[in-house]
Amino acid sequence: MSDPTIQTFCCHHRTQLDGAIPLMGEFSTNSYLFVCMVSSFLGIMGAHYQIFVRGKRGSASNSRRLTDSGNSVNSNGHRVILWLAIADFCASLGVFVRSAMWRYFQPMMLKDDEASVIFCAVTSAWTQYFYTCTWLWTLSYAINVRSYLRGEDFSMRRYHAIVWTFGALLTSVGLTVLYYPNADCQNVRELWTALARVLPNYCATYLPILIVMIGNPIIYMDCSKMISEMFMTRYTRVTSHEREVMSRFKWKFGLINIVFYICWLPNLVGGFILWTVWGSVPENIMVFIWYTMAATNPLQAFLNAFVYRRWAKTPSEPDPDPPTETHQESSPLLEKSRTWLARAQPASSSKLENPSSHRKANNCSCF
C-alpha cells in the first residue's frame, strides 16, 4: 500500500518501548504481506495488459490516425492512459518487491540498522512517487477531455512536465522533512513536533488524492453539460443515439471516479482517524484500514484496465450522415472515428477549398 504511516515506521527505533513497535508487527505478518503481494501482482498484470497488449494493439491499428490527429483527445487521451498505466506498473512493482523482501528475507525493521532503514525508505519513496504520478495522470485525463471539448490545445510535453515534476516535488518535500537529518521521526512525542515533522508528509500524500476526488467529478459534470449543448446546437433534437452517447459518457467517467474512490478513500479515512485521535490510536480499527488499503491501493492498475478500455468495436469507415432514430448504434466512447462530436462551423467557413480534408478533420476519436 501507499501510506505515510509505513514511511514513518521506516525511521529508527531507538528503544523497544516505542509505541509503534506493536503496530509495526502487523506489517510483518504473513496475512498482511500476502494481501499486499496478491493485490500488487494483480496491479502489475493490469498495467502490463494496458501497456504491452492494449497499447501495442492500439498503436498498430491507429498509428496513422494518432499522427494525423495532433493534440486531439484521440492522441493525447491514449497517451495519458498509457503513462498512467506505466506509473501504476512501477508503483505496484514497488509494493510487490517490498512485501516479498519483508516476507521471505527479513521482516520489517527486525534490525534497527542503516540497511533496513534505507531499504524501507527507498522502496516507500519509490512507491509514493509513482502513486502520486498516477493521481496526477488521472486528473490530467479529465483535464484533457475538457480541453478537447472546449477546443483548447494541451500538449503532452506540458502533461509530462507537470506530472513528473509535481510528483517529485511532493514526494521529496514530504520525505525530506520526515527523514532529515537522521531518520528519528519515531522519537516524536509532542503534538507540535509531529505537526512540524510528520504532518507535511501526510499533506503531500493526501492533497493530490483530495484534488482528484473533488476535481474530477466537477470536470466530468462540466463535460457532460458541454456535450449536451453540442448535441442541441448541431442536431436541434436529442435522438436515441445522442441519449446513448450521454448515457455511456456518464457511465464511463462515473466508473473512473468510483474506482478512484474505492482505491484511495480508505487512505483518507485512516489519516483522518490517526490525526483526530492522536496519542490514543484505536489499533484494531487502524489494522483493518491498513488491510483495506493493502488490498485496494495496488488494485488501481487492475481496475483501470477495465474502466479505461475501448467499450465497443466500430465500423472502419465513419458514417457521413447525422445519426437518426434508426441508425445502427454502437458504443460512442473511444471509437476509432465518428462525427457526432464535430463542432459546428461558422457560415463564413462553410466553403472550403478541399471538402474531403474537412470531412477527414471532423472524424475524431474521443475519450
Side-chain angles (χ1 to χ4, degrees), residues 70 94 233:
T233 300

Side-chain angles (χ1 to χ4, degrees), residues 122-171:
V122 169
T123 54
S124 297
W126 171 282
T127 304
Q128 182 63 35
Y129 171 68
F130 282 107
Y131 270 129
T132 302
C133 292
T134 67
W135 307 331
L136 297 177
W137 279 123
T138 302
L139 179 65
S140 298
Y141 184 76
I143 294 175
N144 183 60
V145 172
R146 185 175 180 272
S147 298
Y148 174 77
L149 295 177
R150 294 173 64 91
E152 302 171 350
D153 291 334
F154 203 114
S155 67
M156 281 303 299
R157 288 184 179 180
R158 197 176 305 173
Y159 279 123
H160 281 291
I162 293 175
V163 170
W164 303 118
T165 302
F166 272 85
L169 181 64
L170 291 171
T171 303

